[in-house]
Amino acid sequence: MKKFLLLLVFMVSGMVSSFAFSIFGTGKNTVTVDIGPTIFGASLGIVGNVVGGGVTTSGFGIGAQYERQLLPLLSVAGRFAYLQGSLGLSTDSDDYDISDIRFSSYSIEAHTRFYPLGGAFFLNGMLGFANMSMAADDSLAGLPIEQSSAFSTSRNYFKLGAKVGWRFTFGLGGGFVLEPSFGYNGVVGAGSDLGNAMSDNVKKDFSDKSVNMLQNLIFVGGPRLSINLGWRF
């Protein structure tokens, strides 16, 4: 009986130690790379091939994140993301000087995460800063040569976002991490509007609706799909 009780004590203590080690000893730090922007950037490059007619497009994106587990149900994270794309149009017309327009954005974000079930599922809130820029070397596509001019302009933004996701860890207390998540980012612009800045550069009215779509739904805000790959330790 004494041997049985002693064995039971060892088994229970081992299980408790293993649990405490996995929650409090290791697995507090997670470093991941987000390939969601990479997939989206690659899809931008496919658009030109689908549209055809001399239209060329390209894109690239990447994200990186560090997460620190403060409590079993709570963590904080810092994230950096970059996305760029270009749009060009080739033509045989002598009346137009066509050039690629380049768009790019980067963001620095602070995240707070809540794991309500104490497992993989999480709720995420975000506050961040972003910058979006637009530039062309020679001219804005579609403008006559006499109205064309090189330009470069940018705008800063504040970001607010929320998302849900799952952090799957393949290892006791740490190891390889797969983290799919989906959410939405809202943006508030600071400084001069990009559409107005472009209009001033090329001396022609530019559609604010087009610029708003780019900043609110693609390069800064809008729906976001993330596929994080990394390591928890």
Short mmCIF file of all heavy atoms in Angstrom, two decimals, residues 128-189:
data_model
loop_
_atom_site.label_atom_id
_atom_site.label_comp_id
_atom_site.label_asym_id
_atom_site.label_seq_id
_atom_site.Cartn_x
_atom_site.Cartn_y
_atom_site.Cartn_z
N GLY A 128 -1.96 50.62 -33.99
CA GLY A 128 -0.70 50.75 -34.72
C GLY A 128 -0.56 52.03 -35.51
O GLY A 128 -1.47 52.88 -35.57
N PHE A 129 0.62 52.17 -36.10
CA PHE A 129 0.99 53.29 -36.97
C PHE A 129 1.36 52.74 -38.32
O PHE A 129 2.00 51.69 -38.42
CB PHE A 129 2.17 54.06 -36.37
CG PHE A 129 2.82 55.01 -37.35
CD1 PHE A 129 2.30 56.29 -37.53
CD2 PHE A 129 3.92 54.63 -38.09
CE1 PHE A 129 2.90 57.16 -38.43
CE2 PHE A 129 4.53 55.49 -38.99
CZ PHE A 129 4.01 56.77 -39.17
N ALA A 130 0.96 53.44 -39.39
CA ALA A 130 1.28 52.99 -40.75
C ALA A 130 1.62 54.16 -41.64
O ALA A 130 1.24 55.32 -41.36
CB ALA A 130 0.11 52.20 -41.34
N ASN A 131 2.34 53.88 -42.69
CA ASN A 131 2.68 54.88 -43.71
C ASN A 131 2.47 54.26 -45.08
O ASN A 131 2.87 53.12 -45.32
CB ASN A 131 4.13 55.34 -43.57
CG ASN A 131 4.54 56.31 -44.66
OD1 ASN A 131 4.96 55.91 -45.75
ND2 ASN A 131 4.44 57.59 -44.36
N MET A 132 1.83 55.00 -45.98
CA MET A 132 1.62 54.56 -47.35
C MET A 132 2.20 55.60 -48.29
O MET A 132 2.01 56.80 -48.10
CB MET A 132 0.14 54.35 -47.65
CG MET A 132 -0.15 53.97 -49.10
SD MET A 132 -1.91 53.68 -49.39
CE MET A 132 -1.92 53.54 -51.19
N SER A 133 2.91 55.14 -49.31
CA SER A 133 3.51 56.05 -50.28
C SER A 133 3.14 55.64 -51.70
O SER A 133 2.86 54.47 -51.97
CB SER A 133 5.04 56.08 -50.13
OG SER A 133 5.59 54.80 -50.40
N MET A 134 3.12 56.63 -52.58
CA MET A 134 2.84 56.42 -54.01
C MET A 134 3.87 57.22 -54.80
O MET A 134 4.21 58.35 -54.43
CB MET A 134 1.42 56.90 -54.35
CG MET A 134 0.35 56.32 -53.45
SD MET A 134 -1.29 57.04 -53.74
CE MET A 134 -1.66 56.39 -55.37
N ALA A 135 4.37 56.63 -55.88
CA ALA A 135 5.42 57.31 -56.65
C ALA A 135 5.43 56.83 -58.08
O ALA A 135 4.96 55.74 -58.40
CB ALA A 135 6.79 57.07 -56.01
N ALA A 136 5.96 57.68 -58.98
CA ALA A 136 6.19 57.34 -60.38
C ALA A 136 7.41 58.12 -60.84
O ALA A 136 7.61 59.27 -60.45
CB ALA A 136 4.99 57.69 -61.24
N ASP A 137 8.26 57.48 -61.67
CA ASP A 137 9.49 58.12 -62.12
C ASP A 137 9.24 59.18 -63.18
O ASP A 137 9.82 60.25 -63.17
CB ASP A 137 10.46 57.08 -62.68
CG ASP A 137 11.00 56.17 -61.59
OD1 ASP A 137 11.05 56.61 -60.43
OD2 ASP A 137 11.35 55.02 -61.91
N ASP A 138 8.36 58.87 -64.14
CA ASP A 138 8.19 59.75 -65.30
C ASP A 138 6.81 60.38 -65.38
O ASP A 138 6.68 61.58 -65.57
CB ASP A 138 8.46 58.98 -66.60
CG ASP A 138 9.87 58.42 -66.63
OD1 ASP A 138 10.79 59.15 -66.24
OD2 ASP A 138 10.03 57.26 -67.01
N SER A 139 5.78 59.57 -65.29
CA SER A 139 4.45 60.12 -65.49
C SER A 139 3.39 59.22 -64.87
O SER A 139 3.66 58.07 -64.53
CB SER A 139 4.16 60.26 -66.98
OG SER A 139 4.10 58.99 -67.59
N LEU A 140 2.22 59.77 -64.72
CA LEU A 140 1.08 59.01 -64.25
C LEU A 140 0.41 58.37 -65.45
O LEU A 140 0.07 59.06 -66.42
CB LEU A 140 0.12 59.93 -63.51
CG LEU A 140 -1.10 59.27 -62.88
CD1 LEU A 140 -0.67 58.27 -61.83
CD2 LEU A 140 -2.02 60.32 -62.27
N ALA A 141 0.22 57.06 -65.42
CA ALA A 141 -0.33 56.36 -66.56
C ALA A 141 -1.63 56.99 -67.04
O ALA A 141 -2.53 57.27 -66.26
CB ALA A 141 -0.57 54.90 -66.20
N GLY A 142 -1.71 57.24 -68.35
CA GLY A 142 -2.94 57.76 -68.93
C GLY A 142 -2.96 59.26 -69.10
O GLY A 142 -3.91 59.80 -69.66
N LEU A 143 -1.93 59.97 -68.64
CA LEU A 143 -1.90 61.42 -68.81
C LEU A 143 -1.08 61.80 -70.03
O LEU A 143 -0.04 61.20 -70.30
CB LEU A 143 -1.29 62.08 -67.57
CG LEU A 143 -2.11 62.04 -66.28
CD1 LEU A 143 -1.34 62.76 -65.18
CD2 LEU A 143 -3.46 62.68 -66.48
N PRO A 144 -1.50 62.80 -70.81
CA PRO A 144 -0.69 63.28 -71.92
C PRO A 144 0.67 63.75 -71.44
O PRO A 144 0.83 64.15 -70.28
CB PRO A 144 -1.52 64.46 -72.47
CG PRO A 144 -2.91 64.18 -72.03
CD PRO A 144 -2.79 63.49 -70.69
N ILE A 145 1.67 63.69 -72.33
CA ILE A 145 3.04 64.01 -71.96
C ILE A 145 3.15 65.41 -71.37
O ILE A 145 3.86 65.62 -70.38
CB ILE A 145 3.97 63.89 -73.19
CG1 ILE A 145 4.06 62.42 -73.62
CG2 ILE A 145 5.37 64.43 -72.88
CD1 ILE A 145 4.88 62.20 -74.86
N GLU A 146 2.44 66.38 -71.96
CA GLU A 146 2.57 67.75 -71.47
C GLU A 146 2.01 67.94 -70.07
O GLU A 146 2.32 68.92 -69.39
CB GLU A 146 1.88 68.72 -72.43
CG GLU A 146 0.38 68.48 -72.63
CD GLU A 146 0.10 67.51 -73.77
OE1 GLU A 146 1.06 66.83 -74.18
OE2 GLU A 146 -1.04 67.49 -74.26
N GLN A 147 1.21 66.98 -69.59
CA GLN A 147 0.66 67.07 -68.25
C GLN A 147 1.39 66.15 -67.26
O GLN A 147 1.04 66.12 -66.10
CB GLN A 147 -0.83 66.69 -68.25
CG GLN A 147 -1.71 67.69 -68.97
CD GLN A 147 -3.17 67.30 -68.90
OE1 GLN A 147 -3.50 66.15 -68.60
NE2 GLN A 147 -4.06 68.24 -69.16
N SER A 148 2.38 65.45 -67.77
CA SER A 148 3.03 64.44 -66.94
C SER A 148 4.17 65.02 -66.13
O SER A 148 4.84 65.95 -66.54
CB SER A 148 3.56 63.31 -67.82
OG SER A 148 2.50 62.72 -68.54
N SER A 149 4.41 64.43 -64.98
CA SER A 149 5.55 64.82 -64.16
C SER A 149 5.81 63.71 -63.16
O SER A 149 4.90 63.03 -62.71
CB SER A 149 5.29 66.13 -63.42
OG SER A 149 4.19 65.99 -62.54
N ALA A 150 7.08 63.52 -62.80
CA ALA A 150 7.41 62.55 -61.77
C ALA A 150 6.87 63.04 -60.44
O ALA A 150 6.80 64.25 -60.18
CB ALA A 150 8.92 62.35 -61.72
N PHE A 151 6.48 62.12 -59.59
CA PHE A 151 5.97 62.53 -58.29
C PHE A 151 6.23 61.45 -57.26
O PHE A 151 6.45 60.28 -57.57
CB PHE A 151 4.46 62.83 -58.37
CG PHE A 151 3.61 61.60 -58.47
CD1 PHE A 151 3.12 60.96 -57.34
CD2 PHE A 151 3.31 61.06 -59.71
CE1 PHE A 151 2.36 59.82 -57.44
CE2 PHE A 151 2.54 59.92 -59.82
CZ PHE A 151 2.06 59.29 -58.68
N SER A 152 6.19 61.86 -56.01
CA SER A 152 6.31 60.95 -54.88
C SER A 152 5.59 61.60 -53.71
O SER A 152 5.84 62.77 -53.39
CB SER A 152 7.78 60.70 -54.53
OG SER A 152 7.88 59.88 -53.38
N THR A 153 4.70 60.87 -53.09
CA THR A 153 3.95 61.41 -51.97
C THR A 153 3.63 60.29 -50.99
O THR A 153 3.62 59.11 -51.36
CB THR A 153 2.65 62.08 -52.46
OG1 THR A 153 1.98 62.70 -51.35
CG2 THR A 153 1.71 61.07 -53.09
N SER A 154 3.40 60.64 -49.73
CA SER A 154 3.11 59.64 -48.71
C SER A 154 2.17 60.23 -47.67
O SER A 154 1.98 61.45 -47.58
CB SER A 154 4.40 59.14 -48.05
OG SER A 154 5.02 60.18 -47.32
N ARG A 155 1.60 59.35 -46.86
CA ARG A 155 0.68 59.77 -45.80
C ARG A 155 0.80 58.81 -44.62
O ARG A 155 1.03 57.61 -44.81
CB ARG A 155 -0.76 59.78 -46.32
CG ARG A 155 -1.74 60.45 -45.36
CD ARG A 155 -3.16 60.36 -45.88
NE ARG A 155 -4.05 61.23 -45.12
CZ ARG A 155 -5.39 61.20 -45.20
NH1 ARG A 155 -5.97 60.33 -46.01
NH2 ARG A 155 -6.12 62.02 -44.48
N ASN A 156 0.65 59.35 -43.41
CA ASN A 156 0.68 58.55 -42.20
C ASN A 156 -0.74 58.21 -41.73
O ASN A 156 -1.68 58.96 -42.00
CB ASN A 156 1.41 59.29 -41.07
CG ASN A 156 2.86 59.54 -41.41
OD1 ASN A 156 3.52 58.70 -42.04
ND2 ASN A 156 3.39 60.67 -40.98
N TYR A 157 -0.85 57.11 -41.00
CA TYR A 157 -2.16 56.63 -40.55
C TYR A 157 -2.05 56.05 -39.13
O TYR A 157 -1.01 55.54 -38.72
CB TYR A 157 -2.69 55.51 -41.46
CG TYR A 157 -2.79 55.88 -42.91
CD1 TYR A 157 -1.68 55.76 -43.74
CD2 TYR A 157 -3.98 56.34 -43.46
CE1 TYR A 157 -1.76 56.09 -45.08
CE2 TYR A 157 -4.06 56.68 -44.80
CZ TYR A 157 -2.95 56.55 -45.60
OH TYR A 157 -3.03 56.88 -46.94
N PHE A 158 -3.16 56.13 -38.42
CA PHE A 158 -3.35 55.37 -37.20
C PHE A 158 -4.25 54.18 -37.54
O PHE A 158 -5.22 54.32 -38.29
CB PHE A 158 -3.98 56.22 -36.11
CG PHE A 158 -3.11 57.36 -35.65
CD1 PHE A 158 -3.35 58.65 -36.07
CD2 PHE A 158 -2.02 57.12 -34.82
CE1 PHE A 158 -2.54 59.70 -35.66
CE2 PHE A 158 -1.20 58.15 -34.40
CZ PHE A 158 -1.47 59.45 -34.83
N LYS A 159 -3.92 53.02 -36.96
CA LYS A 159 -4.67 51.81 -37.26
C LYS A 159 -5.31 51.24 -36.00
O LYS A 159 -4.72 51.25 -34.93
CB LYS A 159 -3.73 50.74 -37.86
CG LYS A 159 -3.07 51.14 -39.15
CD LYS A 159 -2.09 50.07 -39.60
CE LYS A 159 -2.75 48.75 -39.88
NZ LYS A 159 -1.80 47.74 -40.39
N LEU A 160 -6.52 50.74 -36.17
CA LEU A 160 -7.22 50.00 -35.12
C LEU A 160 -7.71 48.70 -35.75
O LEU A 160 -8.25 48.72 -36.86
CB LEU A 160 -8.40 50.80 -34.56
CG LEU A 160 -8.08 52.05 -33.76
CD1 LEU A 160 -9.37 52.84 -33.51
CD2 LEU A 160 -7.43 51.68 -32.44
N GLY A 161 -7.53 47.60 -35.07
CA GLY A 161 -7.94 46.34 -35.67
C GLY A 161 -8.32 45.28 -34.65
O GLY A 161 -8.00 45.39 -33.46
N ALA A 162 -9.01 44.28 -35.14
CA ALA A 162 -9.40 43.14 -34.32
C ALA A 162 -9.38 41.89 -35.20
O ALA A 162 -9.64 41.97 -36.41
CB ALA A 162 -10.79 43.34 -33.72
N LYS A 163 -9.06 40.76 -34.58
CA LYS A 163 -9.06 39.51 -35.34
C LYS A 163 -9.24 38.33 -34.40
O LYS A 163 -9.09 38.44 -33.18
CB LYS A 163 -7.78 39.35 -36.15
CG LYS A 163 -6.51 39.20 -35.33
CD LYS A 163 -5.31 39.05 -36.25
CE LYS A 163 -4.01 38.93 -35.47
NZ LYS A 163 -2.83 38.78 -36.38
N VAL A 164 -9.56 37.20 -35.00
CA VAL A 164 -9.65 35.93 -34.28
C VAL A 164 -8.71 34.94 -34.96
O VAL A 164 -8.44 35.04 -36.16
CB VAL A 164 -11.09 35.37 -34.26
CG1 VAL A 164 -12.02 36.32 -33.53
CG2 VAL A 164 -11.59 35.11 -35.68
N GLY A 165 -8.19 34.01 -34.19
CA GLY A 165 -7.27 33.05 -34.78
C GLY A 165 -7.00 31.88 -33.86
O GLY A 165 -7.57 31.76 -32.77
N TRP A 166 -6.08 31.03 -34.32
CA TRP A 166 -5.70 29.83 -33.57
C TRP A 166 -4.19 29.69 -33.61
O TRP A 166 -3.58 29.75 -34.68
CB TRP A 166 -6.34 28.58 -34.17
CG TRP A 166 -7.83 28.56 -34.04
CD1 TRP A 166 -8.58 27.90 -33.11
CD2 TRP A 166 -8.77 29.23 -34.90
NE1 TRP A 166 -9.91 28.13 -33.32
CE2 TRP A 166 -10.07 28.94 -34.42
CE3 TRP A 166 -8.64 30.06 -36.02
CZ2 TRP A 166 -11.22 29.44 -35.01
CZ3 TRP A 166 -9.78 30.58 -36.61
CH2 TRP A 166 -11.05 30.26 -36.11
N ARG A 167 -3.58 29.51 -32.46
CA ARG A 167 -2.14 29.28 -32.38
C ARG A 167 -1.88 27.82 -32.02
O ARG A 167 -2.03 27.39 -30.89
CB ARG A 167 -1.52 30.19 -31.31
CG ARG A 167 0.02 30.11 -31.25
CD ARG A 167 0.57 30.94 -30.11
NE ARG A 167 0.15 30.43 -28.81
CZ ARG A 167 0.36 31.08 -27.66
NH1 ARG A 167 0.93 32.26 -27.67
NH2 ARG A 167 -0.05 30.54 -26.52
N PHE A 168 -1.49 27.06 -33.04
CA PHE A 168 -1.21 25.64 -32.86
C PHE A 168 0.29 25.45 -32.63
O PHE A 168 1.10 25.83 -33.48
CB PHE A 168 -1.66 24.84 -34.08
CG PHE A 168 -3.13 24.96 -34.37
CD1 PHE A 168 -3.58 25.68 -35.47
CD2 PHE A 168 -4.07 24.35 -33.55
CE1 PHE A 168 -4.93 25.78 -35.75
CE2 PHE A 168 -5.43 24.45 -33.82
CZ PHE A 168 -5.86 25.17 -34.91
N THR A 169 0.64 24.86 -31.50
CA THR A 169 2.04 24.60 -31.17
C THR A 169 2.29 23.10 -31.22
O THR A 169 1.61 22.32 -30.55
CB THR A 169 2.39 25.13 -29.77
OG1 THR A 169 2.08 26.53 -29.71
CG2 THR A 169 3.86 24.93 -29.47
N PHE A 170 3.27 22.71 -32.03
CA PHE A 170 3.58 21.29 -32.20
C PHE A 170 4.78 20.92 -31.34
O PHE A 170 5.90 20.82 -31.81
CB PHE A 170 3.83 20.99 -33.68
CG PHE A 170 2.64 21.28 -34.55
CD1 PHE A 170 2.46 22.55 -35.09
CD2 PHE A 170 1.70 20.30 -34.82
CE1 PHE A 170 1.35 22.82 -35.89
CE2 PHE A 170 0.60 20.56 -35.61
CZ PHE A 170 0.42 21.83 -36.15
N GLY A 171 4.53 20.76 -30.04
CA GLY A 171 5.58 20.42 -29.10
C GLY A 171 5.16 20.79 -27.69
O GLY A 171 4.44 21.77 -27.49
N LEU A 172 5.59 20.04 -26.71
CA LEU A 172 5.25 20.28 -25.32
C LEU A 172 6.02 21.49 -24.80
O LEU A 172 7.24 21.46 -24.71
CB LEU A 172 5.56 19.06 -24.46
CG LEU A 172 5.24 19.20 -22.96
CD1 LEU A 172 3.74 19.45 -22.75
CD2 LEU A 172 5.70 17.96 -22.21
N GLY A 173 5.29 22.56 -24.49
CA GLY A 173 5.94 23.76 -23.95
C GLY A 173 6.62 24.61 -24.99
O GLY A 173 7.19 25.65 -24.68
N GLY A 174 6.60 24.22 -26.25
CA GLY A 174 7.24 25.00 -27.31
C GLY A 174 7.40 24.17 -28.56
O GLY A 174 7.04 22.99 -28.60
N GLY A 175 7.97 24.78 -29.59
CA GLY A 175 8.16 24.08 -30.85
C GLY A 175 7.59 24.87 -32.02
O GLY A 175 7.32 26.07 -31.92
N PHE A 176 7.40 24.18 -33.14
CA PHE A 176 6.91 24.80 -34.36
C PHE A 176 5.49 25.33 -34.15
O PHE A 176 4.66 24.69 -33.50
CB PHE A 176 6.91 23.78 -35.50
CG PHE A 176 6.31 24.31 -36.78
CD1 PHE A 176 6.99 25.25 -37.55
CD2 PHE A 176 5.06 23.88 -37.20
CE1 PHE A 176 6.43 25.74 -38.73
CE2 PHE A 176 4.50 24.36 -38.37
CZ PHE A 176 5.19 25.29 -39.13
N VAL A 177 5.22 26.51 -34.71
CA VAL A 177 3.93 27.17 -34.55
C VAL A 177 3.29 27.42 -35.91
O VAL A 177 3.94 27.90 -36.85
CB VAL A 177 4.07 28.52 -33.81
CG1 VAL A 177 2.76 29.31 -33.85
CG2 VAL A 177 4.48 28.29 -32.37
N LEU A 178 2.02 27.07 -36.03
CA LEU A 178 1.18 27.41 -37.18
C LEU A 178 0.02 28.23 -36.65
O LEU A 178 -0.71 27.78 -35.77
CB LEU A 178 0.67 26.17 -37.90
CG LEU A 178 -0.42 26.40 -38.96
CD1 LEU A 178 0.12 27.26 -40.10
CD2 LEU A 178 -0.95 25.08 -39.49
N GLU A 179 -0.15 29.44 -37.21
CA GLU A 179 -1.14 30.36 -36.64
C GLU A 179 -1.96 31.03 -37.75
O GLU A 179 -1.58 32.08 -38.26
CB GLU A 179 -0.43 31.41 -35.80
CG GLU A 179 -1.36 32.36 -35.07
CD GLU A 179 -0.58 33.43 -34.34
OE1 GLU A 179 0.02 33.11 -33.30
OE2 GLU A 179 -0.58 34.57 -34.82
N PRO A 180 -3.09 30.47 -38.12
CA PRO A 180 -3.99 31.15 -39.06
C PRO A 180 -4.91 32.11 -38.29
O PRO A 180 -5.36 31.81 -37.18
CB PRO A 180 -4.79 30.00 -39.67
CG PRO A 180 -4.82 28.96 -38.60
CD PRO A 180 -3.54 29.10 -37.82
N SER A 181 -5.19 33.28 -38.89
CA SER A 181 -6.08 34.25 -38.25
C SER A 181 -6.72 35.12 -39.32
O SER A 181 -6.21 35.26 -40.44
CB SER A 181 -5.32 35.12 -37.25
OG SER A 181 -4.32 35.88 -37.89
N PHE A 182 -7.85 35.71 -38.95
CA PHE A 182 -8.57 36.59 -39.88
C PHE A 182 -9.14 37.76 -39.09
O PHE A 182 -9.66 37.59 -37.99
CB PHE A 182 -9.71 35.83 -40.58
CG PHE A 182 -10.51 36.69 -41.52
CD1 PHE A 182 -10.03 36.99 -42.78
CD2 PHE A 182 -11.73 37.22 -41.12
CE1 PHE A 182 -10.76 37.78 -43.65
CE2 PHE A 182 -12.47 38.02 -41.98
CZ PHE A 182 -11.98 38.29 -43.25
N GLY A 183 -9.04 38.96 -39.68
CA GLY A 183 -9.55 40.14 -38.99
C GLY A 183 -9.76 41.31 -39.93
O GLY A 183 -9.72 41.17 -41.16
N TYR A 184 -9.94 42.48 -39.33
CA TYR A 184 -10.19 43.69 -40.11
C TYR A 184 -9.47 44.86 -39.45
O TYR A 184 -9.50 45.01 -38.23
CB TYR A 184 -11.69 43.98 -40.19
CG TYR A 184 -12.04 45.09 -41.16
CD1 TYR A 184 -12.32 44.79 -42.49
CD2 TYR A 184 -12.07 46.42 -40.76
CE1 TYR A 184 -12.64 45.78 -43.40
CE2 TYR A 184 -12.39 47.42 -41.66
CZ TYR A 184 -12.67 47.10 -42.97
OH TYR A 184 -12.96 48.10 -43.87
N ASN A 185 -8.82 45.71 -40.28
CA ASN A 185 -8.12 46.90 -39.80
C ASN A 185 -8.84 48.15 -40.28
O ASN A 185 -9.13 48.29 -41.48
CB ASN A 185 -6.68 46.93 -40.32
CG ASN A 185 -5.83 45.84 -39.72
OD1 ASN A 185 -6.17 45.28 -38.68
ND2 ASN A 185 -4.72 45.53 -40.37
N GLY A 186 -9.12 49.06 -39.36
CA GLY A 186 -9.64 50.36 -39.72
C GLY A 186 -8.52 51.38 -39.67
O GLY A 186 -7.56 51.23 -38.91
N VAL A 187 -8.60 52.45 -40.50
CA VAL A 187 -7.53 53.43 -40.57
C VAL A 187 -8.08 54.84 -40.42
O VAL A 187 -9.22 55.14 -40.82
CB VAL A 187 -6.76 53.33 -41.91
CG1 VAL A 187 -6.12 51.96 -42.04
CG2 VAL A 187 -7.67 53.59 -43.09
N VAL A 188 -7.26 55.70 -39.83
CA VAL A 188 -7.55 57.13 -39.72
C VAL A 188 -6.32 57.86 -40.24
O VAL A 188 -5.23 57.74 -39.68
CB VAL A 188 -7.84 57.54 -38.27
CG1 VAL A 188 -8.09 59.04 -38.20
CG2 VAL A 188 -9.03 56.77 -37.72
N GLY A 189 -6.48 58.61 -41.34
CA GLY A 189 -5.36 59.29 -41.97
C GLY A 189 -4.95 60.55 -41.23
O GLY A 189 -5.77 61.23 -40.62
#
